[in-house]
């Protein structure tokens, strides 16, 4: 697969997977998600790669799913078509990030919204620039039940997750650090250096030990019901795509939804 919407490089045991549509605030098109998934599989299979870094070229990590492309290609999907599309592109791809046997660090600056929030939070660690902000506004903007993968309560606790989704607002990097959702906040100018220093340090550890410890921690969360809860929410989210409220938001158009998000 040739990469048009992401950039992929490997150096010193670290694979770098970059959202690469800076002119579109790194909106996640179908191509971008397909390519990111292909790169995750490639990095997983490559014995030279010990750690993965997800980042975004330009000012933002990612403003979320490419809603313009969605409106053009998928606005009138049947329940069955949307289910199949979202199960593969959102749920399966997200779980592939979660299940990758190698540590993954998300390096986040600027906007990290909805679909972008979902991808960043499937990673094991998050390093945030001081200008980063996190948001999932879709209850307000689209009448949808959050994004497809409800990782929120697992990375910030139930009360904060409810606040984020009910209010639809932005969470700053400082607040995300305070509640334990991100591991480190650094000045914007130092984001790349700090992220790759962390990756290089992790890359010194024995890969098989890292694989086992990641598996054990993820299994702890599975024992608490993470995977069952994610699958259950996916079904619920699909229901929210066929409500009158959602159809109303779709018919009022994308510009309106974006305007609402900015308010
Ligand atoms: Zn959806």
């Amino acid at each position: 697969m040739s990469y048009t919407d992401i950039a992929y490089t490997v150096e010193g045991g670290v694979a770098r997977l970059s959202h690469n549509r800076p002119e579109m605030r790194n909106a996640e098109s179908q191509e971008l998600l397909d390519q990111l998934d292909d790169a995750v599989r490639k990095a997983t299979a490559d014995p030279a790669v010990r750690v993965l870094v997800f980042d975004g070229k330009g000012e933002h990590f990612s403003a979320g799913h490419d809603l313009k492309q969605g409106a053009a290609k998928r606005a009138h999907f049947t329940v069955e078509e949307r289910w199949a599309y979202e199960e593969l592109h959102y749920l399966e791809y997200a779980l592939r990030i979660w299940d990758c046997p190698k540590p993954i660090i998300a390096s986040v600056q600027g906007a990290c919204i909805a679909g972008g929030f979902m991808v960043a939070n499937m990673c094991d660690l998050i390093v945030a620039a001081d200008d980063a902000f996190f948001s999932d506004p879709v209850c307000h903007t689209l009448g949808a039940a959050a994004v497809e993968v409800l990782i929120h309560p697992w990375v910030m606790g139930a009360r904060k997750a409810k606040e984020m989704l009910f209010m639809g607002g932005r969470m700053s990097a400082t607040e995300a650090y305070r509640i334990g959702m991100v591991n480190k906040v650094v000045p914007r100018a130092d984001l790349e250096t700090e992220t790759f220093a962390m990756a290089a340090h992790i890359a010194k550890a024995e890969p098989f030990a890292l694989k086992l410890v990641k598996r054990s921690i993820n299994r702890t969360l599975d024992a608490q019901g993470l995977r069952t809860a994610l699958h259950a929410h996916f079904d619920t989210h699909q229901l929210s795509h066929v409500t009158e409220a959602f159809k109303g938001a779709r018919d009022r158009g994308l510009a309106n939804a974006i305007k609402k998000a900015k308010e």
Side-chain angles (χ1 to χ4, degrees), residues 24 31 47-48 61 83 98 100 105 123 129 133 136 156 178 180 194 202 213 215 221 234 260:
M24 303 289 291
E31 294 77 13
F61 179 79
W83 190 292
W98 187 257
C100 172
I105 306 172
C123 297
F133 64 91
D136 182 354
M156 67 178 84
R178 197 184 63 77
E194 293 274 354
I202 295 170
V213 81
R215 204 174 165 91
L221 297 171
F234 180 80
K260 228 173 161 182

Side-chain angles (χ1 to χ4, degrees), residues 86 148 237 241:
E86 297 202 347
E148 290 74 13
H237 172 90
H241 272 305

Side-chain angles (χ1 to χ4, degrees), residues 134-194:
F134 301 86
S135 174
D136 182 354
V138 304
C139 290
H140 281 262
T141 56
L142 298 173
V147 287
E148 290 74 13
V149 180
L150 193 71
I151 192 66
H152 317 44
W154 300 92
V155 296
M156 67 178 84
R159 202 169 303 278
K160 274 291 178 189
K162 287 174 182 170
E163 181 185 336
M164 173 179 262
L165 293 165
F166 294 176
M167 299 291 288
R170 294 177 171 193
M171 182 187 285
S172 68
T174 319
E175 175 71 350
Y177 176 74
R178 197 184 63 77
I179 64 169
M181 195 185 90
V182 311
N183 298 86
K184 203 171 184 177
V185 181
V186 300
R188 174 69 184 92
D190 301 338
L191 180 65
E192 191 173 344
T193 322
E194 293 274 354

